Amino acid sequence: MSAAPDGASAAAAPAGDPAAGVPATGFFWHERCFWHDPGAIGVFSSPGEFLQPQPASESPESKRRLKNLLEVSGLIDALAVRKPPPAAREDLERFHTASYLDALEAGERAGGGDGGDCAPYTSGSLAAACQSAGLASAAVEAVASGAMLRAYALCRPPGHHAEAVRGRGFCLLGNIPVAVLRARALGQVGRVAILDWDVHHGNGHQTAFYTDPEVLTVSLHQAGNYPLETGGFEEQGEGPGLGYNLNLPLPPGCGLGAYDHAMTELVLPAIEAFDAELIVVACGYDACAKDPLGKMLLNSAAFARMTTQVMALAERLCAGRLVMVHEGGYSEGYVPLCGHAVIQTLSGSDIRVPDPQNEEIAAWGYQALQPHQRELIDGWCEAWAAAGRLSPPSSASPSNASTRNSRP
C-alpha cells in the first residue's frame, strides 16, 4: 500500500472539538426516507400467483423503530440532529449513469417499477432514495470538513448493492459512493476506507472503486447469499486498484468468535495499512441472529464491539473521523436494539437500552470460533500479508472476553 499523497492534509486537522462547541456525533435522518414503498412482495423480489401479499422485508419499520427508540431512551438528545436536503442530480451522476437516472425518473412518473435486480419501487420512492443519498452525503461532508467528529446516517432505501447502471437488492442509489465521490470532488477528503459489515456482499462499493487506489473497500459478509456471483476473496481490485478491495465471505453460521477473529486479524490491520483519512462503515444489521435474510449469529453487543474497534482505529489513523451509514437489517424487533447499541457507542453516551436477548444469543452453541472458520480467515490473512497489504494487529484494539463463548 502506498503512503498518503503529498498535500493530503485532511487527517492532520482535528475533526471536531466538543469543548469548543463542535458536536462530536451527528445523527442524520428524514421522515421522507420512511415513505419509500417497494410494494407488497414479502421476502421475494416480485409478487407471484401463489404468494399472498405482505409488506416487503425492506420495510420502514426497523428504521422507524430505531429512530423511535432513540427518542424514548433520550439518546437522541445527546446527538446533533440534522435533516439535510436530498442529493442533487449532479452529485448522483458522479456515480450513476445519466441513462439509469433517467430510467428511474421515467418509472417514477409511471407509478414505479424495478431499478434493475430485486429493487422494486413505487411512486414517491425516487424522492426517498435521493433523500437517503443526501443524508449520507451530508454526514460525510460534516465529518470530512471537521464540523463533526462522527456521524450516523439513518438511510433508507439502503444503497450498498446499487451499481452505476442499475439498482439491486432493495437499493436504488449508491448512498456511500455518491457521498464519497462528492466529498472527493469538493476536495474535502482524499483516501477513504469503506467497511461493509452488512450480511450481504457490498457489490456496489466494490464496483464503484474497483480500479481506484484511493479508496479501500472491505466487505465482511455471508458467502453466497446476495449477490450470488460476487464477493469472493479473489476479487481484489483491478489495474491501479489491485489490492484495494478485500472480501471476507464468511460461511453461514458465523457468530461472535468468527467475527471477532476476522475483525482483529484482517479487517482492522488491512484498514490500518491503508492509512485512510476517513472511515465510512456500511452498517447493516442483518448479520444479527434474528434476521430473516441472513444466517449469522451476532447480538447487539457484537455490533457495539465492532463499533468500538473501528472508533479506536479511526482515532489512530484519521483524528477520529468516522461515518456510519445504515444499510440492511430486517428484524423489526431486533434492529432497533442493535442500532441503539451502535449509536450509544459512537456517541460515548451512558444512555443504555437493555437487550433482553443479548446474553441468550451469546450463550448459543457454535458462537466460539470454529476450526473451519479459523482456517479460512487465517488463510486470507496469510494471502493478504504475503502481498504486503497488512499491518500487524494493534494492541490498541480492545478485547472483551465476555463477547465470546467457549461452547462448540
Side-chain angles (χ1 to χ4, degrees):
M1 295 289 181
S2 60
D6 291 341
S9 59
D17 181 1
V22 178
T25 304
F27 180 69
F28 293 72
W29 83 285
H30 199 287
E31 175 67 25
R32 175 66 67 182
C33 292
F34 300 152
W35 292 14
H36 162 54
D37 182 8
I41 59 173
V43 298
F44 305 97
S45 59
S46 61
E49 180 182 359
F50 298 104
L51 303 177
Q52 181 176 336
Q54 67 180 92
S57 294
E58 203 295 290
S59 77
E61 279 307 294
S62 61
K63 292 82 175 175
R64 191 188 300 277
R65 286 171 182 257
L66 171 55
K67 163 64 168 47
N68 291 346
L69 184 58
L70 296 172
E71 295 275 7
V72 171
S73 74
L75 179 56
I76 199 167
D77 297 325
L79 308 173
V81 179
R82 300 290 186 269
K83 297 181 183 179
R89 172 89 182 214
E90 175 187 6
D91 295 327
L92 300 179
E93 286 188 355
R94 291 192 181 93
F95 176 48
H96 294 289
T97 64
S99 59
Y100 171 59
L101 297 175
D102 289 344
L104 284 181
E105 292 176 357
E108 177 78 13
R109 291 191 295 271
D114 193 308
D117 171 33
C118 302
Y121 66 99
T122 58
S123 181
S125 290
L126 183 56
C130 291
Q131 184 65 65
S132 187
L135 296 181
S137 295
V140 167
E141 178 174 4
V143 174
S145 68
M148 292 179 179
L149 179 59
R150 297 175 292 270
Y152 190 100
L154 186 58
C155 293
R156 180 177 183 267
H160 76 140
H161 292 313
E163 298 172 352
V165 298
R166 61 175 174 171
R168 299 190 75 181
F170 308 149
C171 305
L172 295 176
L173 299 174
N175 298 326
I176 291 176
V178 167
V180 168
L181 290 171
R182 178 179 183 275
R184 292 177 66 192
L186 296 177
Q188 295 170 339
V189 70
R191 296 165 66 83
V192 179
I194 300 172
L195 167 59
D196 189 333
W197 63 48
D198 188 282
V199 83
H200 305 104
H201 176 231
N203 61 288
H205 305 149
Q206 175 171 302
T207 62
F209 302 107
Y210 206 58
T211 61
D212 191 339
E214 294 298 296
V215 179
L216 173 68
T217 48
V218 181
S219 181
L220 185 65
H221 56 271
Q222 179 185 322
N225 187 327
Y226 183 89
L228 294 177
E229 77 280 8
T230 69
F233 177 74
E234 68 279 2
E235 300 163 20
Q236 299 182 5
E238 190 174 87
L242 180 61
Y244 295 89
N245 186 79
L246 172 59
N247 288 324
L248 289 79
L250 298 173
C254 283
L256 307 181
Y259 271 81
D260 184 59
H261 192 64
M263 287 287 292
T264 58
E265 298 301 318
L266 184 51
V267 171
L268 298 173
I271 297 175
E272 186 144 20
F274 177 69
D275 196 24
E277 299 170 27
L278 171 71
I279 299 174
V280 181
V281 175
C283 186
Y285 298 106
D286 35 14
C288 81
K290 300 294 183 178
D291 197 89
L293 301 185
K295 303 301 179 186
M296 299 309 201
L297 304 176
L298 299 188
N299 57 7
S300 61
F303 289 102
R305 171 171 163 74
M306 291 193 294
T307 302
T308 298
Q309 291 175 309
V310 177
M311 288 174 64
L313 180 61
E315 288 293 335
R316 297 196 299 275
L317 289 184
C318 48
R321 292 182 178 89
L322 174 61
V323 177
M324 308 191 79
V325 176
H326 196 110
E327 290 287 350
Y330 308 101
S331 171
E332 295 179 3
Y334 203 60
V335 163
L337 295 173
C338 295
H340 195 282
V342 164
I343 297 171
Q344 177 201 353
T345 303
L346 193 68
S347 65
S349 172
D350 294 328
I351 300 174
R352 177 177 176 271
V353 168
D355 174 0
Q357 292 195 301
N358 188 66
E359 298 305 319
E360 176 187 337
I361 293 171
W364 287 0
Y366 299 95
Q367 284 288 13
L369 178 66
Q370 303 297 298
H372 71 286
Q373 298 165 351
R374 178 188 291 275
E375 181 180 2
L376 188 63
I377 295 167
D378 288 351
W380 295 332
C381 290
E382 292 170 6
W384 206 253
R389 305 170 187 159
L390 209 58
S391 292
S394 172
S395 60
S397 296
S399 61
N400 184 356
S402 65
T403 65
R404 307 185 187 98
N405 184 273
S406 59
R407 293 172 57 193

